[in-house]
Amino acid sequence: MVTEGNQALRETVFWTPPELTPPTDADEVNSSLCHGFIFDFCGVEVDRITGAVRVDKYVTMHDCGRVLHPGMVAGQITGGFAQGVGAALYEEFAYSPEGAFLTGTFVDYLLPTTTEVPAPTILHVETLSPFTPLGAKGVGEGNCMSTPVCLANAVADALGIAAIDLPMTPSKLAAHIHPPEHARGRS
Amino acid sequence: MKPARFDYLRAGTLAEAHATLASEGEDARVLAGGQSLVPMLSMRMARPKVLIDIMHLPQLAKIESDGNTIHIGAGVRQAKLLAWPEIHERQPLLAAALPWVGHAQTRSRGTVCGSVAHADPSAEIPLALLALKGAIHLSSRQRQRRVPAADFFTGMMSTARNDDELIEAVEVPCHTPGHGYAFHEFGRRHGDFAIVACAAVAHADGVRLAIGGVADCPAVRDYPDLTDTALDDALEGFSWELDARDDLHATESFRRNLVRQLGRAAIEEARRCRA
């Protein structure tokens, strides 16, 4: 037990923003004080022979209010982006027509590695929240949601098609590029 | 998973390795770099009683060339061959194919001959060996023999090696003046197994094209100097002869198309590189 004379000065404070004080008179709860915003754009190339997608440039712009820790924000965005690239191009829970799970190992369930994830350009605009003391709004793995959509829109535009299923595997994309194969018996 | 129990023998002499192979037969497996065999052990797809480690035999760790052929011993790691200063000059196709073998990390352990012994249908080294008309030097306690690559790869992960034999070396012809080479491969990610891999050798009278990743073992065709639609027709025929199959990563039709188009790209590049 530390004697009273040696104790450091300390203070614990709890603060609840008034907008989040539950519940309202109508028994409603506001679960989120403020929202971050994202927009993404990208340029891609699709190989005419192999159907492989190359991401030439990927820009992701965030408004998470005041950026409190730039390194941690960049880490969150980059991690969410890598997961988005995986969802868009590689990762799939695949089943056979008989219902057998086909992607139960990392040989078949493909995660993008460092060589498959391009470095995104990360931009910020800081619109301070009026509801938080520091103006911060929060940043999560929002690119998990924005990146698959952004890549799919770019690839669909490149191929001139309206809709495309994820993941955009080369085999699937090549079927949109190449004319149907002539049926031919094995010689 | 972990491997089933096995005995480990560090061969001190080649004769010791041969003797164990002779007595244990198919229950013995030769361990070199371990980049294919050890995962097979861990998944219990292979359950040998004894592993014979040949990596401590200095006579197997040599790359030698007399100007006509390159002799690559069973202890030569892929990274060592890739870093061999003469590789680009002596055999450009090997130099082009080796960076596609696994990853830098696996190449620093895996051996050239180990890849040949494993005979994965999508492996690059067996493909290059077939395209270059290389050969495999086998030895047992009884005899030594030299098997052309065209006769060595007999099916999916199966070869002409007998249970009492080990691969002592592979032999690859050196670059012939006037020949050109190209290697093209497509896989899902960097370092993944090839969906289709093409090795082309162009010479004065025609071209030789080897395809891996499609059939159960690498396949090769020799063509006269075909161009335009004649070449398209030849590749169309080759693409159907390989019995491409559907799997998770590629449809059979996609594979045939890669054979036609990547094959053509490899042939055209090899022709341009004739020197």
Side-chain angles (χ1 to χ4, degrees), chain B residues 159-183:
Chain B
T159 68
R161 184 185 73 87
N162 294 323
D163 289 335
D164 65 340
E165 289 176 317
L166 60 79
I167 298 179
E168 257 191 68
V170 293
E171 169 198 316
V172 184
C174 286
H175 166 55
T176 308
H179 286 201
Y181 312 89
F183 190 90

Side-chain angles (χ1 to χ4, degrees), chain A residues 68-125:
Chain A
L68 298 180
H69 190 309
M72 287 179 72
V73 169
Q76 290 249 266
I77 292 169
T78 307
F81 173 69
Q83 297 206 337
V85 170
L89 300 175
Y90 300 102
E91 298 176 42
E92 183 173 19
F93 291 126
Y95 292 86
S96 75
E98 296 77 32
F101 186 42
L102 299 176
T103 50
T105 74
F106 286 121
V107 174
D108 293 313
Y109 185 91
L110 304 185
L111 285 174
T113 71
T114 49
T115 52
E116 282 79 45
V117 181
T121 299
I122 301 171
L123 303 173
H124 294 286
V125 56

Side-chain angles (χ1 to χ4, degrees), chain A residues 49-50 52 89-90 94 102-103 106-108 110-111 115-116 169-171 174 178 181-182 184 186-187, chain B residues 186 188-190 192 233 236-237 240-241 243-244 248-254 256-258 260-262:
Chain A
I49 293 180
T50 66
L89 300 175
Y90 300 102
L102 299 176
T103 50
F106 286 121
V107 174
D108 293 313
L110 304 185
L111 285 174
T115 52
E116 282 79 45
T169 63
S171 198
H178 300 143
E181 191 177 35
H182 300 297
R184 170 166 168 164
R186 285 160 173 78
S187 49
Chain B
F186 182 67
R188 292 288 306 274
R189 297 174 306 178
H190 171 78
D192 277 352
D233 289 346
E236 173 80 16
W240 284 96
E241 286 156 22
D243 270 330
L248 187 63
H249 299 299
T251 62
E252 57 170 284
S253 169
F254 179 61
R256 278 192 294 272
N257 196 57
L258 288 180
R260 291 188 285 259
Q261 299 208 36
L262 279 189

Side-chain angles (χ1 to χ4, degrees), chain B residues 57-267:
Chain B
L57 301 172
Q59 71 268 38
L60 296 184
K62 289 180 191 161
I63 306 169
E64 290 170 323
S65 180
D66 59 4
N68 294 318
T69 60
I70 309 168
H71 209 77
I72 303 157
V76 174
R77 299 192 195 274
Q78 293 148 8
K80 182 176 171 180
L81 182 60
L82 189 54
W84 186 43
E86 297 170 40
I87 185 73
H88 291 269
E89 182 194 335
R90 297 275 188 188
Q91 188 33 265
L93 184 65
L94 265 187
L98 279 168
W100 290 94
V101 179
H103 301 263
Q105 294 89 335
T106 60
R107 291 196 296 271
S108 73
R109 297 289 303 171
T111 61
V112 175
C113 291
S115 173
V116 171
H118 185 58
D120 187 285
S122 60
E124 293 82 4
I125 294 171
L127 182 65
L129 223 55
L130 183 65
L132 293 168
K133 300 184 180 175
I136 291 89
H137 290 260
L138 295 161
S139 68
S140 69
R141 201 169 59 173
Q142 310 290 340
R143 61 172 181 163
Q144 300 207 322
R145 63 184 178 124
R146 177 185 176 280
V147 182
D151 300 328
F152 186 75
F153 302 105
T154 54
M156 184 170 295
M157 294 177 185
S158 65
T159 68
R161 184 185 73 87
N162 294 323
D163 289 335
D164 65 340
E165 289 176 317
L166 60 79
I167 298 179
E168 257 191 68
V170 293
E171 169 198 316
V172 184
C174 286
H175 166 55
T176 308
H179 286 201
Y181 312 89
F183 190 90
H184 286 225
E185 176 168 323
F186 182 67
R188 292 288 306 274
R189 297 174 306 178
H190 171 78
D192 277 352
F193 288 113
I195 288 173
V196 171
C198 312
V201 181
H203 48 88
D205 309 319
V207 67
R208 184 170 166 86
L209 178 69
I211 300 284
V214 185
D216 284 347
C217 56
V220 70
R221 297 288 183 278
D222 286 289
Y223 301 114
D225 225 351
L226 302 174
T227 53
D228 302 329
T229 54
L231 182 56
D232 286 337
D233 289 346
L235 289 168
E236 173 80 16
F238 196 5
S239 73
W240 284 96
E241 286 156 22
L242 293 171
D243 270 330
R245 271 165 277 185
D246 278 332
D247 70 15
L248 187 63
H249 299 299
T251 62
E252 57 170 284
S253 169
F254 179 61
R255 284 194 160 86
R256 278 192 294 272
N257 196 57
L258 288 180
V259 171
R260 291 188 285 259
Q261 299 208 36
L262 279 189
R264 182 165 188 129
I267 286 172

Side-chain angles (χ1 to χ4, degrees), chain B residues 5-30:
Chain B
R5 282 180 76 89
F6 59 84
D7 287 330
Y8 169 84
L9 171 75
R10 176 182 286 186
T13 61
L14 203 50
E16 193 181 0
H18 284 149
T20 308
L21 280 170
S23 62
E24 300 294 334
E26 64 175 346
D27 288 330
R29 294 292 293 269
V30 172

